[in-house]
């Protein structure tokens, strides 16, 4: 990750959930709009084991009719991290990240949704 002394980077976290019984895809995206939000997201992203995936994340561990989460972190439009996490391994910081991205996408800040006066 980047050092916190750099000017505010453009950070985007994208989660794509696929699979399940119907095989539908759904995606969520979050981009912090302030330095405080960026610091919170960078801290959350720093807790994840990007270099090693959990044993349950092996392709053989993906069960039929379960969801699979593909997570991408873009920093200044460049891919910083990517991971594929099956539903049965979506625990701890992985679950926190996915829930945070979903919450941010479902409740955008005024900067993320410029058409509102909130």
């Amino acid at each position: 990750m980047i050092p916190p002394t750099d000017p505010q980077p453009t950070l985007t976290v994208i989660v794509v959930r696929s699979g399940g019984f119907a095989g539908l895809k759904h995606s969520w995206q979050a981009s912090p709009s302030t330095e405080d939000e960026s610091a919170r997201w960078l801290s959350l992203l720093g807790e994840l084991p990007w270099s090693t995936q959990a044993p349950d994340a092996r392709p053989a561990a993906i069960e039929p009719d379960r969801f699979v989460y593909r997570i991408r972190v873009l920093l200044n439009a460049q891919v910083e991290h990517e991971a594929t996490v099956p539903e049965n391994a979506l625990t701890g910081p992985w679950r926190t990240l996915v829930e945070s991205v979903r919450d941010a996408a479902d409740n955008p800040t005024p900067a993320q949704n410029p058409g509102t006066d909130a």
Side-chain angles (χ1 to χ4, degrees), residues 35-87:
E35 286 185 42
D36 288 343
E37 285 180 13
S38 291
R40 185 179 70 80
W41 280 97
L42 290 172
S43 174
L44 179 60
L45 293 168
E47 294 176 17
L48 295 163
W50 295 104
S51 60
T52 60
Q53 289 194 5
D56 290 342
R58 293 185 316 270
I62 297 174
E63 300 171 9
D65 298 331
R66 300 291 298 260
F67 291 119
V68 174
Y69 294 83
R70 286 180 176 63
I71 301 164
R72 287 181 97 190
V73 177
L74 305 177
L75 190 59
N76 296 326
Q78 300 294 319
V79 175
E80 182 76 12
H81 294 291
E82 288 185 290
T84 300
V85 183
E87 184 177 24

Side-chain angles (χ1 to χ4, degrees), residues 6-46:
D6 286 353
Q8 184 174 349
T10 303
L11 176 67
T12 304
V13 183
I14 302 165
V15 174
V16 178
R17 183 187 73 193
S18 60
F21 181 71
L24 301 176
K25 273 189 181 180
H26 194 85
S27 64
W28 300 273
Q29 179 174 317
S31 296
S33 58
T34 67
E35 286 185 42
D36 288 343
E37 285 180 13
S38 291
R40 185 179 70 80
W41 280 97
L42 290 172
S43 174
L44 179 60
L45 293 168

